[in-house]
Amino acid sequence: MSSFAKPLIRRKDAPTNDLGLIRADYDGAMSTLCAGCGHDSVTAGLTRAFFELSIAPHKAVKVSGIGCSSKTTAYFLGQSHGINTVHGRMPAVATGAVAANSALSYVGVSGDGDSLSIGLGQFVHAMRRNVNMLYMLENNGVYGLTKGQFSAAADFGASSKKGEINEQPPLDPVSLALSVGATFVARAFSGDKDQLVSLIKAGLKHKGFALIDVISPCVSFNDHKGSTKSYAHAYKYYHPAIHADYVPVGKEITAAYQAGELLPVEMHDGGTLQLRKLQNGYDPRDRARAMAKVFETKDSDETVTGLLYIDETQKDMHALNRMEARPLNEIPYAELNPGADKLEALQKKFR
Amino acid sequence: MSALQSRAALNDFTIKLANVNGTGSSSANGLLMKAIFRMGIPVVGKNIFPSNIQGLPTWYEIRVTEKGYHGRSGDVHLMVAMNAKTYTQDLAELSPGGVLLYDSTWPHPEFMNRSDITVIGVPFARMCNGAFKAARSRILMKNMAYIGSVVALLDLDMKVIHELVREMFAAKPKLIDLNLQALTLGFDHVKEHFDGTLDIKVEARDLTTGKIMIDGNEATALGCVFGGATFGAWYPITPSTSIMDGFTKYCRMFRVDPETQEHKYCIIQAEDELAAAGMVVGASWNGARAFTPTSGAGISLMSEFIGYAYYTEIPMVLFDVQRTGPSTGMPTRTQQCDMQICAYASHGDTCHILLFPSQPQECFEMAAQALDLAERFQTPVFVLSDLDIGMNDWMVDALSWDDSYQPDRGKVLSKTDLEKMDKFHRYLDVDGDYIPYRTLPGTDPKGAYFTRGSGHNKWGSYTEEGQEYKELVDRLRNKWASAADKVPAPVLKASKGSSNYAILSVGSCDGAVIEACDRLEAQGVHLDYMRVRGFPFCQQVEDFIDAHDTVFVIEQNRDAQLLNLLLVETNVAREKLVPILHYSGEPLDYRFVFQALHEALALRKTA
C-alpha cells in the first residue's frame, strides 16, 4: 500500500477558520515518502494555506503527474477530488478541468522530472495559456522514485550520490516561466515554511497561472556533499528577495513597514497582496528586472527566493476564451441545443 | 474495353477534373457538382488531393448517378485535363467512348492517337489572358471557363450555374461579373466549335428533394453541437481539422450570448495530441462533454491517455478520421487502417467502444451517440470515420434533430444523492451492471475521491493486491462487453434469393458494396450483406456469419483488420471469412468490389 489513512484527531481547543473547520480537516492520507523529505513540508504548507484561506476542501481540486512529488496530492485535502494523471501530462488535464469548472481552486503538484523533462512542453504551454491554477514544482534535481538519476534541473557541476558529475546546463523553471510570459513566478525553499505558506496563499489567489518553484531536497538521493539541491546548500545560499503577504478583503494590514518598503498589488478577488522588499531596488512587477536578478544570483550561487514576478493585469484562459462565468458543466442542455428549426434552416446552404 | 467498364449514359457517368492544386479549381469543381445536384440528379463527389498547398496534381471526380449510389464508379467518361504534368495518366484513365477536354493553348495532337475517345481542345489560357488583366484572375478564371465548356457539353442548366455563382460571391459582388464572363467564354467556344453529340448528357430530375450535400466532418461538428459538447481540444491534423473548424463555426453561431458576447463553450488548440487528449480527460472528469478530433498519427500519441481514461473510467470521445498509415503515410488519402489500434489502444489489457459511420448523416448521429455512450460507460469512445467520409461532399438525407433528446450524462451522483449515502466508493459496482457511480469535484465533501492510473480496488484505494486488481479489471472487461447491444446495430441488406455467401463490411465501403451487390444480383448472384456499425460486436454479427458458408469481409486496409477483430472477439470459424482488401488510398469503387467478388465466387464454384 502506498498510502495509509491518517487518524483525524480533534482537539477541543483547535483553532478554526472562517468555515469552522480545523487544520486536521485539511489533512490527507499519511505520507509514504522518506523521513525528512522536503515534499512533506510542502504538503504541510499547502494544508496550512488552504486552511488559513478558508477554502472549503471540496471546492479544491488537486492535480498531479507521476513521481515522488506527484504522490503528495494524496497527502493533503482528503476531502477534495484529486487526480493523479500520467507522467508529465498534468498540465493538460488541469487545463481541461479548469476549463470545465472555473469556480474551484486548482492546485497542481509536480516535480522537476515531471515538469522539466517529460512534461516540459505541457508545462510551458499551460503558462502561455495562463490557466488559472497554482502550480507547485517540487524541485530536488533528481529522480527519486527511480533511485537517483540526474533530472534536467540538476545544476552544472553538481555530483550525484554515486559521484557522477553533471556536465549539462540545468533547466531553470523560474527563468523559463519568465520568458514564456507566466504571470506569477515565485521560488521558495521547503525549509522556510512562513515564506512558502504566504507564497502558496498568494498563488491561490492569483487569477492565472501561479508557479512556485520550491527547492525541496531529496534526503535519500540528493542531500550529499556536492549536491546543489541539498538542505545544507539551500540553507547556505538561500536568499529571500521579496516577501508576499496575502491580505483578504476586509482584513486590516497589521504589520508596520517603513514608507516605500511596501508594494501593494490588488488581487481579482478584492484582496491585496502586500509585497515587502527585502532588497533595495527590486520591483517584482518588472519582468526584465526579475529575469536579470535570477541570472545575476545564479552566477553567484545565490538562490533568490520570494515572489519574483507578478502581473495581475493579464487575461487568464477563461478571459482569453471569452467564457461565461458559469462553469461549462452547469450549463443546461436546453441552452446548448440550437433546436431542430435552426438545424433545418442552416441546411439551406447544403442544398 | 473490359467487360466491367460501362459507357456513359443519360444521368449516369463520371467526370474527372485534373487540376494543379492551389489554383482555385476546387471551388469551381464543387460548383459544377452542386449545379447537377440542384438539377435534381444525385451526385457523388471525390476530391483526390495532394498533401501540399500549391503546385501539385489534384483531381476532383464527380459521378452523376441517377440511381443514387454513394460509391465511385471506377470509370471516367469526361476528363477535364487542366494539368499538363498529368496528361499521360489522365488520358490513359479515360474510359473508351469518353471525352477529353483540355487546354489547347498548347496543342497536343498526340491525344488523337486514342481513336476510341473524343478530344475537345479549348484554348482556356489564351482566352483568359485576352479577357482578364490581373495575373491571378487569369489563373482563377480558367477554372470558370472550363466549367462553362462542361456546361455546354453536358447541356447543363446555365441558370442554375449563374445562381450558384451569385451565391458563392455574395460577399464579393465584384467577382460575380468576372466569373460569369469566364463561364460564357468557355460555353461559347464549345457551342461555336463543336457540334457533335455525346453519350454524356444531363437531364433534370426530381431526385434530390430532401437531400443535402455535406461532408462528414461538418456533420460531425454539428453532431457535437447538437449533442451538447461544450469542450473540444485538438491538434491540427489532416483529414480531421475541419471537424474543429466546423465546431468553432457552429459554436459561434449558436453558443455566444447575444448580449454579453460570452461563450458557452471552450475550444483549445493544444500543443500536441498528447495534450489534446489530456485536456479532454480533464474536462470530462470535471463534468463537461468533451471530445477531440484526430487521425491515426494522433491516436498513436493519444494512446497513453486513452489507456488512462479506460482504467480510471473517465469518458472521452475521439473522432478518428482515418488516413493511410503507417507513420505519416499518405495524409490526404483514405483508408480504414486504425480499427485495430483504436479497438485496443494503449498498453496493458484495454478494449474500447468503436462506432463506424458510413456517410455524413451517420457522422452527425453517431457524434451525439458517442457522447452519450462515453458518459454512460465512463470510457473512451471512438468514432471511426475516414478521409473519404470526412472531407468529401456526400449527398445524404437532410439532417434532423429530435428536440426531445436529453443527453445521457451517465451515473453521476448529485449532492442530494451523496447526502443520502453512507459512504461513496468510486469503483463499486452497486447496480450489478458493471458501471460504478462517479462524482464531480465541488459537489459535496462526501463525493471526494482520488483518481489514479496506478492499481486501485473497487473502493477507490491504491492496491497492489492481485485479487483486488483482477476484480476491477474483470469488471472493466464485462463493462466493455455489455456495450455490444448499446452501440449502433448492424445494418442488414438481405439478397433477393437465398445464399450461402455473404458480405460483411464497414464504414465508407458501403456505397460500393451495395452497388456491387445490386449488379451481381442482376446477374443472378445473391449475397446477403451486413454492415457493422459498432464494436464490441453484438450477437447478430456472429449469427450472421454462422448462417452463411462463406463471408467476404470487405475493408480498406492491408491487414484485414475488421476480419481479425471478428476472429478475436467472436467464435466464428476462421475458414468462413475471406478478406477482400482495398488499400490504395483512393475511395473504394464498385468495380473493384464487383470484380473481386466475381473472381472469388468463380474460384469457389470451380473448386
Side-chain angles (χ1 to χ4, degrees):
Chain A
M1 298 283 278
S2 120
S3 67
F4 302 92
K6 198 190 266 182
L8 182 65
I9 300 161
R10 284 179 179 276
R11 278 195 297 263
K12 272 185 185 167
D13 55 348
T16 55
N17 64 10
D18 293 350
L19 302 171
L21 299 172
I22 59 167
R23 267 282 290 278
D25 290 322
Y26 289 80
D27 280 345
M30 290 281 272
S31 169
T32 58
L33 299 176
C34 310
C37 177
H39 300 353
D40 283 335
S41 308
V42 182
T43 298
L46 284 161
T47 309
R48 198 175 115 191
F50 275 97
F51 166 72
E52 289 179 3
L53 286 175
S54 297
I55 295 171
H58 75 286
K59 296 292 182 188
V61 174
K62 306 167 294 178
V63 197
S64 60
I66 294 290
C68 293
S69 54
S70 293
K71 288 169 72 173
T72 66
T73 43
Y75 311 148
F76 63 98
L77 295 176
Q79 295 176 66
S80 305
H81 273 69
I83 181 163
N84 188 203
T85 68
V86 289
H87 202 9
R89 319 282 178 237
M90 173 266 276
V93 175
T95 302
V98 171
N101 186 355
S102 55
L104 309 172
S105 291
Y106 292 83
V107 56
V109 180
S110 180
D112 41 318
D114 199 55
S115 287
L116 301 178
S117 289
I118 190 167
L120 184 65
Q122 298 208 345
F123 172 55
V124 169
H125 285 279
M127 290 195 277
R128 287 185 59 234
R129 286 188 189 98
N130 207 17
V131 180
N132 190 11
M133 69 182 292
L134 168 66
Y135 194 102
M136 304 296 294
L137 199 163
E138 301 181 356
N139 191 343
N140 56 17
V142 75
Y143 283 86
L145 270 183
T146 51
K147 304 193 174 176
Q149 300 79 13
F150 283 124
S151 83
D155 287 306
F156 191 80
S159 67
S160 74
K161 199 176 181 182
K162 288 177 182 161
E164 204 182 335
I165 304 292
N166 175 44
E167 294 183 303
Q168 291 178 64
L171 264 168
D172 170 34
V174 165
S175 40
L176 186 65
L178 288 169
S179 75
V180 298
T183 51
F184 180 113
V185 184
R187 189 185 276 142
F189 168 42
S190 65
D192 182 348
K193 192 167 279 183
D194 286 340
Q195 184 199 42
L196 180 65
V197 171
S198 54
L199 286 173
I200 291 172
K201 283 155 88 175
L204 283 169
K205 289 295 172 181
H206 171 65
K207 185 104 175 159
F209 192 93
L211 169 70
I212 306 179
D213 173 33
V214 193
I215 309 301
S216 175
C218 171
V219 287
S220 294
F221 297 104
N222 209 8
D223 200 29
H224 49 270
K225 200 165 180 251
S227 159
T228 57
K229 294 274 196 292
S230 64
Y231 279 109
H233 192 276
Y235 276 119
K236 187 171 175 191
Y237 295 104
Y238 167 67
H239 179 84
I242 287 281
H243 189 76
D245 278 320
Y246 172 73
V247 184
V249 199
K251 292 266 162 85
E252 266 189 56
I253 300 156
T254 48
Y257 300 116
Q258 282 181 1
E261 205 187 17
L262 271 184
L263 294 169
V265 176
E266 204 177 307
M267 307 298 274
H268 281 263
D269 70 340
T272 314
L273 200 58
Q274 297 288 342
L275 301 179
R276 186 158 38 95
K277 289 187 213 174
L278 303 175
Q279 248 193 356
N280 284 335
Y282 190 83
D283 185 347
R285 296 166 303 187
D286 178 345
R287 189 148 68 126
R289 186 71 198 92
M291 189 70 120
K293 182 79 187 165
V294 170
F295 278 97
E296 281 162 23
T297 49
K298 199 189 282 178
D299 291 341
S300 63
D301 264 355
E302 266 181 55
T303 308
V304 63
T305 62
L307 179 52
L308 301 172
Y309 179 68
I310 182 165
D311 182 356
E312 276 291 291
T313 66
Q314 296 301 313
K315 289 177 178 171
D316 74 342
M317 182 177 75
H318 267 70
L320 287 168
N321 285 290
R322 294 174 186 79
M323 292 169 71
E324 62 167 62
R326 188 171 40 159
L328 288 180
N329 65 10
E330 286 176 16
I331 305 175
Y333 176 67
E335 284 182 49
L336 300 173
N337 174 20
D341 297 351
K342 293 270 172 58
L343 180 62
E344 202 185 317
L346 77 86
Q347 290 181 83
K348 283 193 187 105
K349 67 173 175 183
F350 300 132
R351 289 191 173 117
Chain B
M1 184 170 179
S2 108
L4 290 165
Q5 280 180 316
S6 55
R7 290 187 81 97
L10 178 68
N11 289 346
D12 184 12
F13 59 89
T14 301
I15 310 169
K16 192 163 183 174
L17 304 110
N19 298 98
V20 178
N21 86 319
T23 58
S25 59
S26 80
S27 29
N29 299 339
L31 182 138
L32 176 62
M33 180 167 70
K34 201 76 170 275
I36 301 169
F37 170 76
R38 284 207 183 164
M39 287 175 68
I41 309 136
V43 280
V44 176
K46 301 293 177 203
N47 191 5
I48 297 153
F49 60 102
S51 177
N52 175 268
I53 300 300
Q54 202 174 72
L56 288 184
T58 185
W59 291 271
Y60 200 88
E61 209 178 271
I62 301 169
R63 180 177 184 200
V64 182
T65 161
E66 183 156 327
K67 286 181 181 157
Y69 285 120
H70 275 309
R72 295 170 74 207
S73 65
D75 291 308
V76 180
H77 303 105
L78 168 61
M79 177 68 79
V80 181
M82 296 298 291
N83 181 2
K85 282 186 188 148
T86 60
Y87 275 165
T88 314
Q89 178 186 341
D90 297 337
L91 184 66
E93 228 182 287
L94 192 56
S95 304
V99 179
L100 179 81
L101 175 66
Y102 85 107
D103 187 348
S104 60
T105 307
W106 302 276
H108 281 265
E110 76 278 12
F111 289 168
M112 305 298 177
N113 294 348
R114 251 190 90 170
S115 58
D116 59 342
I117 59 165
T118 307
V119 178
I120 301 174
V122 179
F124 295 112
R126 196 189 318 139
M127 291 190 321
C128 290
N129 288 353
F132 306 103
K133 277 196 188 124
R136 185 69 185 154
S137 296
R138 288 173 170 178
I139 294 171
L140 290 175
M141 293 309 149
K142 261 201 307 190
N143 300 316
M144 224 28 116
Y146 74 66
I147 298 291
S149 297
V150 173
V151 170
L153 288 172
L154 302 186
D155 219 1
L156 290 176
D157 189 342
M158 196 55 136
K159 267 196 305 200
V160 177
I161 299 270
H162 281 202
E163 193 180 278
L164 279 163
V165 169
R166 291 205 174 86
E167 283 172 28
M168 192 189 263
F169 299 105
K172 302 172 192 162
K174 275 186 193 166
L175 292 176
I176 294 176
D177 285 345
L178 281 182
N179 279 280
L180 296 185
Q181 190 191 343
L183 272 171
T184 311
L185 281 178
F187 184 88
D188 289 352
H189 188 96
V190 167
K191 286 288 177 197
E192 272 170 41
H193 297 87
F194 182 75
D195 57 0
T197 49
L198 300 174
D199 290 344
I200 40 173
K201 274 278 179 287
V202 170
E203 207 174 272
R205 292 281 184 273
D206 186 20
L207 299 168
T208 61
T209 313
K211 307 276 183 189
I212 55 166
M213 300 277 328
I214 190 172
D215 67 63
N217 287 353
E218 182 120 12
T220 300
L222 277 167
C224 289
V225 172
F226 280 80
T230 52
F231 182 84
W234 68 301
Y235 186 73
I237 181 171
T238 303
S240 73
T241 300
S242 51
I243 291 181
M244 212 42 117
D245 292 344
F247 187 68
T248 308
K249 178 173 71 182
Y250 292 115
C251 280
R252 283 190 186 140
M253 205 178 277
F254 299 122
R255 297 266 188 84
V256 179
D257 189 294
E259 277 168 33
T260 62
Q261 298 300 309
E262 286 178 337
H263 296 182
K264 295 180 205 294
Y265 64 94
C266 179
I267 296 167
I268 297 182
Q269 184 183 322
E271 53 270 32
D272 52 37
E273 282 93 346
L274 289 81
M279 289 171 190
V280 169
V281 164
S284 288
W285 177 77
N286 216 356
R289 286 209 134 176
F291 70 95
T292 184
T294 190
S295 191
I299 296 291
S300 291
L301 291 175
M302 292 177 179
S303 292
E304 182 184 38
F305 265 123
I306 292 166
Y308 178 81
Y310 170 79
Y311 191 34
T312 56
E313 301 182 66
I314 296 173
M316 190 180 185
V317 172
L318 303 104
F319 296 98
D320 176 4
V321 187
Q322 299 167 94
R323 68 187 212 190
T324 62
S327 191
T328 305
M330 298 193 285
T332 59
R333 295 291 184 266
T334 194
Q335 242 180 28
Q336 298 172 317
C337 52
D338 299 338
M339 289 187 282
Q340 271 179 330
I341 190 181
C342 290
Y344 308 113
S346 205
H347 56 273
D349 289 327
T350 52
C351 39
H352 307 297
I353 296 172
L354 317 179
L355 309 185
F356 307 109
S358 68
Q359 35 86 334
Q361 194 200 12
E362 280 191 338
C363 289
F364 174 71
E365 288 164 3
M366 287 187 188
Q369 283 169 346
L371 291 162
D372 279 348
L373 287 167
E375 291 195 312
R376 168 55 45 187
F377 287 94
Q378 302 176 16
T379 197
V381 173
F382 296 75
V383 182
L384 272 84
S385 151
D386 59 34
L387 183 142
D388 182 18
I389 301 171
M391 290 189 73
N392 284 319
D393 278 329
W394 293 62
M395 191 192 82
V396 292
D397 290 341
L399 309 179
S400 63
W401 188 251
D402 177 2
D403 279 334
S404 69
Y405 164 84
Q406 277 302 317
D408 179 0
R409 304 304 308 264
K411 296 164 88 169
V412 181
L413 295 172
S414 68
K415 191 170 173 59
T416 329
D417 295 332
L418 282 162
E419 276 163 2
K420 281 186 231 153
M421 289 176 78
D422 194 27
K423 199 164 176 357
F424 162 69
H425 296 288
R426 172 64 179 96
Y427 297 115
L428 202 57
D429 181 9
V430 181
D431 301 330
D433 61 357
Y434 314 116
I435 304 169
Y437 285 87
R438 66 181 187 125
T439 58
L440 303 182
T443 309
D444 189 88
K446 253 188 184 173
Y449 71 96
F450 198 77
T451 307
R452 45 167 72 81
S454 49
H456 47 270
N457 59 22
K458 63 182 172 188
W459 312 109
S461 306
Y462 180 88
T463 191
E464 290 177 6
E465 294 287 332
Q467 259 326 104
E468 288 190 341
Y469 165 83
K470 278 175 64 183
E471 189 180 359
L472 194 126
V473 294
D474 286 347
R475 178 179 59 73
L476 287 182
R477 175 83 193 182
N478 288 330
K479 182 177 81 165
W480 170 78
S482 76
D485 297 325
K486 300 292 186 290
V487 297
V491 177
L492 189 68
K493 182 180 182 280
S495 63
K496 286 178 183 136
S498 68
S499 172
N500 292 328
Y501 296 109
I503 296 170
L504 201 131
S505 191
V506 66
S508 64
C509 298
D510 194 45
V513 171
I514 286 180
E515 188 168 358
C517 283
D518 285 357
R519 287 176 190 257
L520 285 164
E521 189 113 58
Q523 296 185 3
V525 181
H526 302 292
L527 286 154
D528 294 328
Y529 164 42
M530 174 179 271
R531 175 166 62 90
V532 294
R533 298 200 300 164
F535 180 79
F537 302 121
C538 60
Q539 188 58 41
Q540 274 172 278
V541 175
E542 196 165 328
D543 294 347
F544 178 79
I545 297 170
D546 286 345
H548 295 90
D549 293 340
T550 301
V551 177
F552 300 102
V553 183
I554 304 175
E555 52 185 310
Q556 298 173 54
N557 57 69
R558 184 195 68 183
D559 290 346
Q561 297 192 16
L562 176 64
L563 188 150
N564 287 326
L565 288 176
L566 289 164
L567 290 177
V568 173
E569 301 296 348
T570 68
N571 297 311
V572 299
R574 185 181 192 103
E575 56 277 11
K576 280 191 173 188
L577 303 182
V578 179
I580 292 182
L581 307 169
H582 175 87
Y583 48 94
S584 66
E586 291 194 9
L588 190 60
D589 61 76
Y590 84 80
R591 248 176 40 195
F592 175 90
V593 180
F594 181 94
Q595 203 154 343
L597 286 169
H598 212 273
E599 283 164 17
L601 289 165
L603 272 178
R604 273 170 173 72
K605 279 182 184 139
T606 53

